[in-house]
Amino acid sequence: MGSSIILQVVGYQNSGKTTLISKLLKELGKRHFQTGVIKHHGHGNCVDFNDSGKDTEQHRNAGANITCVTSSNNSILTMNSELPLNKAIALYETLEMDCILIEGYKHIPYPRVVLLRNEKEDMDLLLNSHEVIAAIHSIKPKGTILQESNNPHFMRDDEELWLNCLITYITQEHRRRVDHENV
């Protein structure tokens, strides 16, 4: 198994990152891609494990750094510390994900989709991004942003167009990697 295709979705709060990822997941599922999502919780507080009174909470409270509960249908892994992005990616690759979608981590560069709510406020995010696969706008951009960026630009309402662009990128990358492995 080769490396997973990574596609990062970045944008400021309430720009539509989770919605875009959900739509992308549905399309990738139709194509039988094993896809994982890594979401950056950038709100400064702890993630809620939602296991109050359960064995996993007791294990963590007793000193376990990592707990995992697994059944024939699903599994949950929890940690008492932050999992660095590179280690999360390595874990997902160990689990043989075809594609890893990353929500957030604006300052760590991977091939990305940039969601823009407002050209004036969000322009820096686009211009400081490397390897932009697509920019998706909430409001029709003026000429300056299009002139300063040579990436595909879409309006959020043009869902079929941007979804096709992203699926094409992922499937072409997947084919390229599979072909490379078979050489």
Side-chain angles (χ1 to χ4, degrees):
M1 170 80 191
S3 62
S4 305
I5 293 106
I6 296 175
L7 182 64
Q8 184 177 27
V9 179
V10 299
Y12 293 110
Q13 190 172 8
N14 295 319
S15 60
K17 297 179 297 292
T18 301
T19 300
L20 182 142
I21 286 175
S22 296
K23 291 177 182 200
L24 203 48
L25 284 166
K26 287 178 184 174
E27 290 301 315
L28 290 168
K30 290 177 188 175
R31 291 162 175 79
H32 306 289
F33 272 76
Q34 295 294 310
T35 306
V37 178
I38 301 169
K39 178 177 172 45
H40 183 240
H41 182 68
H43 305 293
N45 52 354
C46 292
V47 175
D48 182 5
F49 292 133
N50 199 25
D51 66 352
S52 181
K54 304 289 185 187
D55 293 346
T56 51
E57 179 189 47
Q58 186 176 343
H59 296 154
R60 274 195 315 281
N61 290 341
N65 295 335
I66 300 173
T67 64
C68 182
V69 60
T70 186
S71 74
S72 59
N73 294 320
N74 57 15
S75 302
I76 299 172
L77 178 82
T78 61
M79 296 179 62
N80 280 341
S81 61
E82 181 178 6
L83 180 61
L85 181 58
N86 64 325
K87 290 186 178 185
I89 291 169
L91 175 62
Y92 281 39
E93 288 182 332
T94 298
L95 297 171
E96 299 183 349
M97 294 294 105
D98 297 315
C99 181
I100 301 170
L101 302 175
I102 300 172
E103 181 175 333
Y105 292 95
K106 287 185 221 55
H107 304 294
I108 300 175
Y110 282 97
R112 61 177 50 182
V113 180
V114 180
L115 300 180
L116 302 154
R117 305 166 302 176
N118 175 316
E119 183 175 338
K120 193 177 273 187
E121 294 174 16
D122 298 354
M123 179 82 143
D124 64 313
L125 185 58
L126 179 62
L127 296 177
N128 293 319
S129 291
H130 303 284
E131 205 171 345
V132 174
I133 305 306
I136 301 174
H137 302 263
S138 294
I139 300 169
K140 187 169 176 77
K142 295 181 179 130
T144 55
I145 198 167
L146 299 175
Q147 291 167 357
E148 293 181 37
S149 165
N150 61 351
N151 316 101
H153 289 260
F154 302 96
M155 291 302 298
R156 176 154 313 134
D157 294 341
D158 295 331
E159 184 177 315
E160 189 175 328
L161 295 174
W162 57 256
L163 206 46
N164 185 53
C165 173
L166 300 179
I167 292 295
T168 299
Y169 168 78
I170 292 168
T171 54
Q172 286 177 347
E173 279 295 304
H174 182 68
R175 250 185 257 120
R176 186 180 66 75
R177 292 171 194 213
V178 167
D179 290 347
H180 181 74
E181 287 176 14
N182 293 332
V183 171

